[in-house]
């Protein structure tokens, strides 16, 4: 999501022709509006004509999904959604500024990225300029005011279920933003980051928001409140797919751990990361389960993540398309010190 169109396609071509190691990629293309907060992409639109042109470009280049970004004009959301759906693409995104999550879904969105946009639905229209960092700050200040029992929260969760809206919560970024210490190692990566080369290690700081003195209690409560919201969304039967919005691989494992911290059973979290994700992306014929007739894409784990999700970090073997990879050798080639393997 939100990759540069040129270098991204070149990289995937290298994955496919075997000159670079990488995962199987389902492409999601970003579209943003214009203005001072627009994201670093050339896919920026101001008119319906431009919206259709960009959706067509992504469709013509084999993309499966559109990611709408924060500066898209609300009136262009249905234009993007209609064209994307007509071309067989899913529509996801940030809820753009000046509209609510409910309006975004009514405008045709299939999926919402980032759990803060669910909280912001309850703050709309008091908070509607969400192109800037208010989309984090206002959530930190007010997340604990919207427990799942509140009628408007329950109603909106039911609305998500009725509309079959998919949620990609990326809760790990809120754990980091609301942790209170910008210099701390990104929460959840404490065991991994010390193994990284120094220049990578330095970039793995939490980047937490500065906490105003009168907001300390609210910030402390914000992340636990978001995990309770996530659990309520899961309990209601809304489809959840795990995304990261951060360092790949290691962060995904921590994202899964956070779902279990929210109270979702580990075996259900593993299902979200495999079968549910394949179903949502329409690739369940080939992927999402270990079964005859599927592509041989799997990881072997030393441990039992169905009872202890953290065991998912103990990957001994990676298999993609039937080809076997040694994760220790890959980490070594990247300058990463291998993790301590458990004695047998
Ligand atoms: Zn995003």
């Amino acid at each position: 999501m939100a990759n540069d169109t040129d270098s991204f396609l070149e990289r995937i071509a290298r994955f496919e022709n075997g000159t670079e190691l990488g995962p199987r990629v389902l492409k999601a293309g970003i579209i943003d509006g214009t203005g001072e907060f627009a994201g670093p992409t050339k896919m920026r639109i101001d008119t319906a004509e431009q919206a259709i042109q960009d959706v067509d470009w992504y469709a013509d280049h084999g993309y499966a999904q559109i990611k709408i970004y924060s500066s898209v004009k609300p009136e262009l959301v249905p234009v993007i959604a209609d064209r994307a759906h007509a071309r067989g693409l899913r529509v996801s995104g940030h809820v753009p500024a000046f509209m609510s999550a409910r309006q975004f879904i009514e405008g045709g969105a299939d999926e919402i990225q980032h759990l803060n946009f669910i909280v912001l639905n309850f703050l709309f229209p008091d908070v509607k300029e969400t192109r800037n960092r208010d989309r984090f700050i206002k959530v930190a200040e007010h997340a604990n005011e919207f427990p799942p029992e509140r009628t408007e929260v329950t109603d909106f969760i039911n609305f998500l279920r009725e509309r079959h809206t998919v949620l990609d919560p990326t809760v790990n970024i809120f754990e980091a933003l609301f942790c209170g210490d910008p210099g701390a190692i990104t929460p959840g990566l404490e065991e991994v980051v010390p193994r990284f080369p120094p220049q990578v290690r330095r970039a793995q700081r939490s980047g937490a928001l500065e906490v105003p003195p009168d907001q300390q209690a609210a910030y402390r409560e914000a992340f636990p409140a978001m995990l309770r919201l996530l659990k309520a969304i899961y309990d209601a039967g809304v489809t959840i797919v795990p995304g990261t919005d951060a360092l790949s691989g290691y962060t995904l494992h921590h994202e899964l751990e956070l779902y279990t911290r929210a109270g979702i059973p580990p075996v259900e979290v593993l299902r979200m990361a495999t079968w549910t994700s394949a179903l949502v992306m329409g690739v369940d014929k080939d992927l999402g389960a270990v079964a005859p007739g599927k592509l041989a894409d799997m990881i072997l784990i030393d441990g039992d993540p169905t009872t202890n999700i953290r065991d998912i970090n103990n990957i001994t073997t990676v298999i993609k398309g039937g080809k076997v990879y040694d994760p220790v050798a890959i980490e070594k080639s990247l300058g990463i010190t291998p993790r301590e393997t458990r004695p047998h």
Side-chain angles (χ1 to χ4, degrees):
M1 288 181 181
N3 283 277
D4 172 81
T5 44
D6 299 330
S7 61
F8 186 45
L9 294 180
E10 286 164 16
R11 185 178 294 272
I12 293 170
R14 294 196 297 275
F15 291 166
E16 284 169 1
N17 71 24
T19 55
E20 186 169 323
L21 293 186
R24 242 176 256 287
V25 179
L26 300 172
K27 302 189 283 290
I30 189 169
I31 295 181
D32 204 1
T34 57
E36 58 178 317
F37 299 107
T41 173
K42 55 189 173 188
M43 307 308 255
R44 297 185 189 178
I45 58 160
D46 257 329
T47 66
E49 198 176 36
Q50 291 168 332
I52 287 167
Q53 194 183 318
D54 284 2
V55 172
D56 281 347
W57 190 92
Y58 283 128
D60 292 342
H61 288 81
Y63 282 64
Q65 185 165 319
I66 298 293
K67 178 175 180 175
I68 291 174
Y69 208 65
S70 290
S71 296
V72 167
K73 291 177 189 167
E75 65 266 29
L76 294 180
V77 167
V79 178
I80 294 170
D82 288 350
R83 187 64 166 198
H85 291 151
R87 300 285 319 257
L89 279 73
R90 303 179 67 247
V91 176
S92 69
H94 289 204
V95 176
F98 311 110
M99 76 191 305
S100 68
R102 182 183 286 263
Q103 291 165 347
F104 184 56
I105 293 161
E106 287 167 346
D110 305 298
E111 176 178 323
I112 290 181
Q113 275 102 32
H114 316 307
L115 189 59
N116 60 326
F117 288 111
I118 305 296
V119 178
L120 285 165
N121 184 69
F122 311 125
L123 296 171
F124 187 84
D126 293 341
V127 179
K128 53 182 187 288
E129 172 52 283
T130 53
R131 295 175 299 172
N132 57 28
R133 287 173 76 77
D134 269 7
R135 68 173 179 265
F136 309 121
I137 293 167
K138 296 297 176 188
V139 170
E141 288 175 1
H142 299 288
N144 67 348
E145 295 163 25
F146 297 95
E149 309 79 57
R150 245 179 105 154
T151 311
E152 68 224 88
V153 179
T154 310
D155 287 352
F156 187 61
I157 292 173
N158 289 334
F159 174 78
L160 293 174
R161 185 191 49 225
E162 284 156 18
R163 300 292 296 238
H164 303 288
T165 307
V166 175
L167 177 67
D168 167 13
T170 69
V171 288
N172 71 89
I173 58 172
F174 305 106
E175 183 190 33
L177 278 171
F178 302 162
C179 77
D181 182 1
I185 291 177
T186 302
L189 299 185
E190 294 89 347
E191 287 170 24
V192 178
V193 168
R195 301 199 281 116
F196 289 170
Q199 71 274 28
V200 181
R201 216 183 292 160
R202 280 196 290 271
Q204 302 304 319
R205 302 283 169 204
S206 75
L209 298 172
E210 198 181 325
V211 185
D214 60 337
Q215 292 289 343
Q216 290 196 1
Y219 273 68
R220 204 167 38 241
E221 266 304 302
F223 188 62
M226 291 180 88
L227 290 185
R228 285 192 295 275
L229 178 62
L230 180 68
K231 176 63 163 45
I233 290 170
Y234 164 78
D235 286 340
V238 174
T239 301
I240 296 170
V241 291
T244 56
D245 207 27
L247 186 73
S248 56
Y250 307 101
T251 312
L252 175 65
H253 303 157
H254 184 59
E255 178 81 8
L256 301 181
E257 185 186 338
L258 290 173
Y259 296 175
T260 66
R261 201 182 293 171
I264 303 173
V267 71
E268 293 302 324
V269 173
L270 292 169
R271 187 199 307 272
M272 289 174 188
T274 54
W275 183 238
T276 304
S277 295
L279 281 175
V280 164
M281 296 310 295
V283 293
D284 49 294
K285 190 173 96 32
D286 295 325
L287 298 165
V290 179
K294 308 258 186 205
L295 294 170
D297 287 9
M298 66 193 96
I299 55 173
L300 302 183
I301 289 170
D302 181 9
D304 180 7
T306 65
T307 53
N308 178 13
I309 196 73
R310 299 203 67 172
D311 280 357
I312 200 165
N313 293 294
N314 304 330
I315 298 169
T316 60
T317 306
V318 176
I319 305 172
K320 180 193 168 195
K323 200 167 171 195
V324 179
Y325 299 90
D326 172 7
V328 173
I330 293 172
E331 285 192 327
K332 268 189 190 157
S333 73
L334 292 168
I336 301 170
T337 312
R339 74 183 152 77
E340 300 282 319
T341 45
R342 297 189 302 183
H344 285 81

